[in-house]
Amino acid sequence: MLARCTKYRFFNVINVVILFCVINFFIYRYLAVPKTNTTPAINTDSKPAVNIIRASGVTGEGSQSLLTANKDTIKGNSSLDLKFKPILASSTPLNTVIPKSGNATTAAGQRREEKLTEANDKGQNTSILQSCPLIPPKLNGPLATFSHPISFKEIAKANPGLQPGGRSKPTECISRHRVAIVIPYRNREEHLQILLNNLHPMLMRQQLDYGIFVIDQALPTRFNRAMLMNIGYAEAMKRYNYQCAVFHDVDLLPENDRNIYSCPEMPRHLSAAIDKFRYRLPYAGIYGGVSAVRKDQFEKMNGFSNMFFGWGGEDDDMATRIRSSGYKITRYPMDIARYRMIKHTKDKGNESNPQRFALLKTTSKRMKTDGLNSLNYSVQEVDEQPTHLRIKVFINEKEILKNFRL
């Protein structure tokens, strides 16, 4: 018996080793390895995906819904390791469209598709959907101004991409600012041609989504600059969802394109330094010439007054409205907010307003009922020019002033 055991001793050793390996395998298989979750844990490598989504226009809830949608998709797949691939900064460009997960479109995907559709409807390049840079990259700084009038057709030809009615927006990105440029006007054709020849190329470099509205007051009523600006604002908002308005005298030419016609946090006096005043601010509260204001602020102030017929006073009235509404006038540095004034004589029908000082004493009392909510005018003609939309209006001075008492 002993001899037989010795004979098979070598084979017994092999059997013991095999048995040990088998036992060790099952111990490792069932005891050492934790149970696998149905949803793979998202490691730190997947965290940048949320930041990338936010950078490309989806924030907050949309980012989380995208991750949730990916998890839901994983649960329905048997091959988890093949179906789940985190979005990484190194492999996913910012403008990549995230595909649908099954039959359900995520909130982020829906917003993305709506953005694509809106851009496509507006004729915009849908391959680039990022917002324009905070600082436009093609600004020149100080400008040499054009001094001679040329036709509106020539101006449009010199500015490719300009749409009829004076509309333009960047094609390389989505503008951060939708701006209505309102120009109060009467009998100043050459000045308008010079201004628009200077203005359009600057506004395009500033990457604005803008339209230019020239509000032409019919004769013989005395010129009412402030009311024309109210009318221009009202007519512009009927046509497009502008975020703010820039009110622009026809005889002021910007001399620095870093003076950006954007939608400001506070009402902005753009024409702080004019050559007529030796590029100095005449007085601290001045708000005339060229100014910018957001839509919500302008409506809270009830716009400009409609009572100022003739020259002077309406800008000081507006400065009081700004302060009374809890806002303050802001300005760019004087070396940026520079303008050149086109030389001209005083217009007939725009003589100094003898009632302006009496009116300025009643600004706070009038502002709730005198302004946007009391506009009374009639549109006589709308002319879509290559460089601007001209709206000719009639203002009945007697009708407006009949209920006013000094």
Side-chain angles (χ1 to χ4, degrees), residues 182 184 217 223-233 247 298 303-310 313-315 317-318 371-372 375 395:
V182 177
Q217 183 178 346
F223 193 67
N224 190 329
R225 174 178 175 270
M227 187 171 179
L228 291 178
M229 291 189 287
N230 281 344
I231 294 171
Y233 174 87
F247 301 102
F298 192 66
F304 288 89
S305 169
N306 297 321
M307 300 295 183
F308 287 82
F309 288 87
E314 74 280 354
D315 294 319
D317 183 274
M318 187 58 171
L372 289 175
L375 272 177
I395 299 172

Side-chain angles (χ1 to χ4, degrees), residues 180-194:
I181 313 292
V182 177
I183 302 174
Y185 173 88
R186 186 162 68 182
N187 292 336
R188 304 278 284 275
E189 189 82 358
E190 288 189 357
H191 291 179
L192 182 61
Q193 291 172 339
I194 295 172

Side-chain angles (χ1 to χ4, degrees), residues 335-398:
D335 62 331
I336 293 177
R338 291 170 62 96
Y339 286 78
R340 181 172 71 84
M341 180 176 285
I342 303 173
K343 294 181 180 181
H344 60 90
T345 57
K346 182 92 55 172
D347 299 327
K348 186 178 181 180
N350 194 29
E351 293 79 14
S352 296
N353 180 5
Q355 296 180 325
R356 64 186 185 276
F357 298 109
L359 284 167
L360 288 173
K361 293 179 181 179
T362 63
T363 300
S364 298
K365 295 179 181 179
R366 287 182 291 101
M367 63 180 291
K368 291 184 179 180
T369 56
D370 170 25
L372 289 175
N373 61 5
S374 61
L375 272 177
N376 185 2
Y377 66 97
S378 59
V379 175
Q380 292 187 337
E381 183 182 356
V382 178
D383 184 12
E384 189 179 72
Q385 293 280 341
T387 55
H388 63 280
L389 188 69
R390 184 180 304 203
I391 304 175
K392 191 169 186 177
V393 299
F394 174 74
I395 299 172
N396 190 329
E397 180 177 350
K398 292 182 179 180

Side-chain angles (χ1 to χ4, degrees), residues 113-124 126 169:
E113 289 179 1
E114 289 170 0
K115 203 170 186 180
L116 284 166
T117 302
E118 180 181 0
N120 188 52
D121 290 343
K122 295 177 180 178
Q124 192 170 11
T126 57
K169 61 184 174 181

Side-chain angles (χ1 to χ4, degrees), residues 73-91:
T73 305
I74 293 164
K75 291 180 181 180
N77 295 324
S78 56
S79 304
L80 302 180
D81 56 335
L82 296 178
K83 296 295 183 181
F84 180 69
K85 294 183 180 181
I87 304 172
L88 301 177
S90 60
S91 60

